[in-house]
Amino acid sequence: MKTRLILDKIPTKCLEWLASSRIRFLNDMKDGKPLHYFSAHLPVMATWRKDDPFPVNMTVKGIGLIAKADVLNDYTDIFEGVIAEAHTIPWNESLHKRVAAMSRLYGDIENFDPMMLGGLEIFEGKAFENLKENPYASLLYVGMAHTTGGMQYISFQINGKVEFLQKNSPYYRFLLSSRKLFEFDKFHLHQSDYPFGYLIRVMEVRDKSPWSRSRNT
């Protein structure tokens, strides 16, 4: 019987998929290739509201890895510096520098805290209202992983406690600069403001990847 993964931090296999998927996305963008749905950045988020006939709300959120505390401010400074420079020249001309800055972070999974994820709030909709009442969420990631044997399905669920980040938080500043590196590129819908950030502290990770029973009987 195949052992199903249940951990209290993001395992290496999942970190590698999250990081390598972003690198491939950035390289495709830099090379002018058609962009595909970025599943490693867009999990389904489930939140809850009691006393509702349909208590579970599901939405797709842009969620990214969080740099470890000892490099968080360094990368924020790097991103903000590249953004400031990008605003002095035509946006497309700055693409290689912007991609290089983000690739530097995502090129090494040791840069990330495996017990945290984060994102920005945009619309203050149902998920936002639910999280104010019940600060727990589940994220479902689904995608394809490149392996030495070819392509494999990967899916995992992350359950965690959510903290709201105010604009003076170093985590909010990191998330905002990460977003603004690519805010005017075609795959983003430009937004005028992000009133809050989210820090998701990982409590449980469940392996949901499909596997063949015929090979495990």
Side-chain angles (χ1 to χ4, degrees):
M1 181 69 181
K2 186 179 177 69
T3 301
R4 309 305 283 162
L5 179 73
I6 301 180
L7 297 172
D8 61 357
K9 64 180 181 179
I10 304 172
T12 299
K13 173 185 175 181
C14 299
L15 280 174
E16 289 176 342
W17 177 71
L18 290 168
S20 64
S21 295
R22 187 174 292 263
I23 293 291
R24 282 194 298 275
F25 184 89
L26 292 171
N27 286 338
D28 285 349
M29 182 170 62
K30 181 180 63 176
D31 295 339
K33 295 180 180 179
L35 297 181
H36 301 285
Y37 188 74
F38 193 6
S39 59
H41 181 64
L42 297 168
V44 174
M45 173 187 276
T47 57
W48 295 266
R49 179 180 293 272
K50 63 181 181 180
D51 302 324
D52 189 312
F54 300 99
V56 180
N57 180 71
M58 290 181 288
T59 189
V60 173
K61 285 280 189 184
I63 302 292
L65 295 168
I66 298 292
K68 288 180 177 177
D70 59 346
V71 297
L72 182 78
N73 290 333
D74 292 339
Y75 276 102
T76 302
D77 289 342
I78 290 169
F79 293 169
E80 290 179 345
V82 172
I83 293 165
E85 183 179 353
H87 284 299
T88 68
I89 59 178
W91 189 251
N92 287 340
E93 292 182 12
S94 68
L95 178 61
H96 283 261
K97 288 188 176 182
R98 292 184 285 113
V99 167
M102 186 63 76
S103 296
R104 179 176 169 184
L105 172 64
Y106 274 82
D108 184 356
I109 63 170
E110 292 300 317
N111 286 327
F112 298 109
D113 188 330
M115 302 187 73
M116 290 185 186
L117 291 165
L120 295 169
E121 177 57 48
I122 299 173
F123 303 112
E124 297 181 272
K126 188 74 169 179
F128 172 75
E129 292 298 325
N130 286 357
L131 288 169
K132 288 195 298 183
E133 180 179 299
N134 181 3
Y136 294 89
S138 292
L139 304 173
L140 178 64
Y141 288 90
V142 180
M144 300 293 292
H146 295 259
T147 68
T148 54
M151 297 289 288
Q152 291 183 353
Y153 292 106
I154 185 170
S155 180
F156 53 97
Q157 177 179 329
I158 296 180
N159 299 326
K161 187 171 184 180
V162 179
E163 298 176 19
F164 286 90
L165 300 174
Q166 303 298 325
K167 292 184 177 182
N168 61 354
S169 164
Y171 290 109
Y172 178 95
R173 182 178 158 220
F174 170 79
L175 289 165
L176 183 65
S177 62
S178 299
R179 168 85 183 200
K180 284 188 171 294
L181 270 177
F182 303 102
E183 66 177 333
F184 298 118
D185 293 291
K186 292 180 180 179
F187 68 93
H188 265 160
L189 295 175
H190 177 65
Q191 307 294 341
S192 60
D193 189 34
Y194 306 93
F196 300 98
Y198 294 115
L199 192 64
I200 303 167
R201 296 192 180 273
V202 177
M203 300 175 66
E204 183 178 72
V205 182
R206 297 188 177 196
D207 187 356
K208 299 286 185 175
S209 300
W211 50 280
S212 174
R213 288 176 62 94
S214 64
R215 292 182 295 179
N216 292 273
T217 56

